[in-house]
Amino acid sequence: MKYNAKHPLLTGALFLTLAGFFSRFIGFFYKIFLSRVIGAEGMGIYQLVFPVYAFAFSLSAAGIQTGISRCCASSLAAGDSRKTKGFFLAGTGISLAISLICTGIIVRYAEVISLHILKEQRCAPLLHLIAFSLPAGTLHTCINAWYFSSKRTLIPSATQLLEQLVRVGASWMIYLIFIQQGMEPTPLLAAGGVLAGEIVSGLLSSICILLDFQKTAAGRTDLPLLSLCGRQLVKLSAPLTANRILLNLLQSAEAIMIPARLQIAGLSSSQALSVYGILTGMALPFILFPSAITSAVSTMLLPSVAGDQAAGNHQKIQEATEKTIKYCLLLGILCAGVFFTFGPSLGTMIYHNEDAGVFLRMLSFLCPFLYLTSTLSSILNGLGHTGLSFLQNAAGLLIRILFAVFAIPRYGIQGYLIGLLISQIVMFLLNLYFLSKSIPIFIASIQWIFLPLAALLISCTTGKAVLGFLRQGTQFPAIICLMPGICISGLLYFLLLTAMGIVKTS
């Protein structure tokens, strides 16, 4: 098992970024396919089951995944490969056992959950299918944590991409079966895709790690060692799991509450589910698309920071934190400008839905704060401050729930979107405050915020002018005219930042 590599964080983040980008690229067109096939209401029903899945997954793997990654990284830094393997085996065994119990409960009580918790009986068949993906997803997650701890991301990146390909392919095949049988496509085709993707990626990652164990001279792991590693993992992951469960309870309450409060605002059940589907199934995936980069960096930061902390390399942690803030701000500012400028056109041209474009423009202000909070939270977790990470996430969720309860009935979905922005700002400020207590952080506001904003204004104005010229002066389809406008905006922004010396190419 090789731990030392020439730039493991950058190399690992690059693999994950590429896999994340291609996965999101495929997923982007997949969401377009789903929106056309099952409609906005179907998207709303499909999205409604994920709080239940996320809760079960948090109970099964979320905390233990972080525990495996952190404990294995620390053991590797200490040169104890035998204990590293013990942490992985103990954590995976615990996770799988919990996931099997959760699967049985969801399958047994799917109708009750759908009728009395989700308030939508059509969710029951989806829950049956998605529940069976839990064990495979849990195994896949634990194996990824093992590879992340040693900063090896090729296998996790490959399985992530494969999972997305299988998910889309399976959904397409189920869709063809529906059409062949003369049946109207339902959200079941999306749930079936989730199940197929998790099973295939779980099997592939299991084969890879078994081959890896055969090549690794880590020694045998006996029962006393597994017991010791299991106790240490439970001690570390129990508060993490509790935090994730509490957060998922709040997220579930939020997700269930939005359609219900929209009905109080005057929408019918079908209209409320459609608005919820447009927001979560169409607009938010656009906003989250660039986070393939920040998600990759976040995944690699946790074990890297844990290893640097164990080795006493506090200077490296400070440098990583400051670079993370800088480049997340630069990316977030660009994405905010692009979605604000081109959001209405994107919603209309891609989804044929004006509301999706309106939501995109409103959600554009989230980008800088959304991308920053994910990476800064990962640094906090890497430093072992999981309780602080939980507090800022809980604060953000409570703000969103309050806006869902009080603002949606009066202002509709726009009231919730304002709460979403406020919650992200609060979470970012809390993250920054908590981190500054452990790490001295310097933020160059002129170079990282004000000059990029000036570059953004110039680049997006130019891109918008290019779009207008192409639409009026050519016969190209609208989507073909849109792409050059967006690309020119991004390229000009990058060139201006390079000319200012903010982004260095060497």
Side-chain angles (χ1 to χ4, degrees):
M1 186 186 322
K2 296 180 180 178
Y3 178 68
N4 295 317
K6 192 174 176 178
H7 294 294
L9 179 60
L10 291 176
T11 304
L14 177 62
F15 278 132
L16 286 174
T17 299
L18 290 173
F21 176 80
F22 285 115
S23 295
R24 288 171 192 267
F25 185 75
I26 296 166
F28 169 70
F29 288 101
Y30 178 55
K31 287 293 177 70
I32 297 173
F33 163 71
L34 288 180
S35 68
R36 304 278 177 86
V37 170
I38 62 177
E41 184 180 2
M43 291 287 285
I45 295 170
Y46 172 60
Q47 294 293 330
L48 205 55
V49 303
F50 277 96
V52 178
Y53 178 82
F55 176 80
F57 184 81
S58 295
L59 186 62
S60 305
I64 292 178
Q65 177 196 22
T66 304
I68 290 173
S69 185
R70 194 171 193 280
C71 289
C72 289
S74 298
S75 297
L76 282 170
D80 191 347
S81 58
R82 184 167 172 265
K83 196 172 183 181
T84 304
K85 187 176 178 181
F87 277 124
F88 167 73
L89 293 175
T92 303
I94 294 168
S95 282
L96 278 175
I98 298 172
S99 70
L100 289 169
I101 294 171
C102 289
T103 297
I105 292 173
I106 293 175
V107 171
R108 175 68 177 82
Y109 297 102
E111 286 77 12
V112 175
I113 294 169
S114 300
L115 187 61
H116 297 289
I117 298 178
L118 301 180
K119 308 297 183 183
E120 179 53 65
Q121 197 165 6
R122 288 174 289 180
C123 289
L126 280 69
L127 285 174
H128 278 116
L129 274 179
I130 287 182
F132 286 108
S133 69
L134 264 174
T138 296
L139 179 61
H140 181 204
T141 298
C142 292
I143 293 171
N144 282 350
W146 158 270
Y147 283 110
F148 292 147
S149 68
S150 57
K151 302 184 180 70
R152 294 181 296 165
T153 58
L154 181 58
I155 298 301
S157 300
T159 53
Q160 176 188 357
L161 188 56
L162 178 67
E163 178 188 342
Q164 185 71 294
L165 288 170
V166 172
R167 175 182 299 190
V168 175
S171 296
W172 174 253
M173 289 178 63
I174 297 171
Y175 166 72
L176 293 179
I177 293 171
F178 272 111
I179 297 300
Q180 189 177 31
Q181 298 296 321
M183 300 166 59
E184 183 179 353
T186 71
L188 274 174
L189 64 90
V194 172
L195 176 60
E198 291 289 6
I199 290 174
V200 172
S201 60
L203 284 173
L204 179 62
S205 57
S206 298
I207 293 169
C208 290
I209 201 166
L210 287 173
L211 294 173
D212 196 29
F213 281 164
Q214 290 179 359
K215 299 175 185 177
T216 303
R220 297 187 64 182
T221 50
D222 51 24
L223 191 59
L225 178 62
L226 287 175
S227 178
L228 174 65
C229 291
R231 289 196 300 271
Q232 291 183 22
L233 265 177
V234 169
K235 184 178 179 181
L236 175 65
S237 63
L240 282 172
T241 301
N243 291 347
R244 295 291 180 92
I245 289 172
L246 287 173
L247 289 176
N248 270 290
L249 283 173
L250 292 174
Q251 289 170 340
S252 299
E254 176 191 24
I256 296 166
M257 195 178 295
I258 292 172
R261 303 306 286 180
L262 284 170
Q263 291 182 56
I264 294 175
L267 300 184
S268 66
S269 174
S270 177
Q271 290 172 329
L273 283 171
S274 295
V275 169
Y276 181 67
I278 294 167
L279 174 63
T280 58
M282 299 182 190
L284 275 175
F286 252 121
I287 298 295
L288 294 172
F289 185 82
S291 66
I293 299 172
T294 56
S295 296
V297 173
S298 299
T299 303
M300 294 305 300
L301 273 173
L302 192 150
S304 180
V305 168
D308 288 335
Q309 186 184 41
N313 295 327
H314 301 292
Q315 182 65 29
K316 288 184 67 176
I317 298 174
Q318 181 184 350
E319 291 174 0
T321 302
E322 290 180 355
K323 285 183 178 179
T324 295
I325 293 172
K326 174 184 176 180
Y327 287 103
C328 283
L329 274 172
L330 298 182
L331 176 65
I333 288 170
L334 171 62
C335 293
V338 168
F339 288 129
F340 183 85
T341 305
F342 301 101
S345 299
L346 284 167
T348 303
M349 295 178 192
I350 301 298
Y351 293 116
H352 301 304
N353 191 298
E354 291 184 5
D355 287 339
V358 173
F359 291 167
L360 269 175
R361 173 164 279 182
M362 295 187 69
L363 290 169
S364 65
F365 298 101
L366 284 175
C367 293
F369 307 104
L370 186 66
Y371 305 157
L372 277 164
T373 50
S374 65
T375 50
L376 296 183
S377 292
S378 189
I379 295 173
L380 272 177
N381 286 329
L383 291 170
H385 301 315
T386 52
L388 297 178
S389 181
F390 165 73
L391 285 176
Q392 57 93 5
N393 281 308
L397 276 166
L398 286 172
I399 291 170
R400 279 149 47 185
I401 288 173
L402 287 173
F403 271 83
V405 172
F406 298 107
I408 289 179
R410 186 169 182 178
Y411 302 107
I413 196 64
Q414 288 79 7
Y416 172 74
L417 297 181
I418 293 170
L420 196 57
L421 176 61
I422 293 173
S423 73
Q424 286 296 328
I425 294 173
V426 169
M427 288 167 66
F428 163 67
L429 293 175
L430 287 174
N431 257 320
L432 201 60
Y433 174 76
F434 291 147
L435 271 176
S436 66
K437 294 294 184 181
S438 302
I439 307 166
I441 300 172
F442 172 74
I443 297 178
S445 56
I446 293 177
Q447 286 193 314
W448 299 359
I449 301 174
F450 294 110
L451 288 178
L453 284 173
L456 179 74
L457 181 62
I458 295 170
S459 58
C460 283
T461 301
T462 305
K464 187 72 171 177
V466 170
L467 172 62
F469 170 77
L470 290 174
R471 294 193 68 177
Q472 292 180 6
T474 68
Q475 300 298 318
F476 293 132
I479 189 65
I480 301 298
C481 298
L482 181 62
M483 290 301 105
I486 294 175
C487 292
I488 287 173
S489 296
L491 179 61
L492 185 56
Y493 177 78
F494 173 76
L495 292 175
L496 289 170
L497 293 184
T498 303
M500 295 174 188
I502 298 170
V503 172
K504 302 185 185 300
T505 55
S506 60

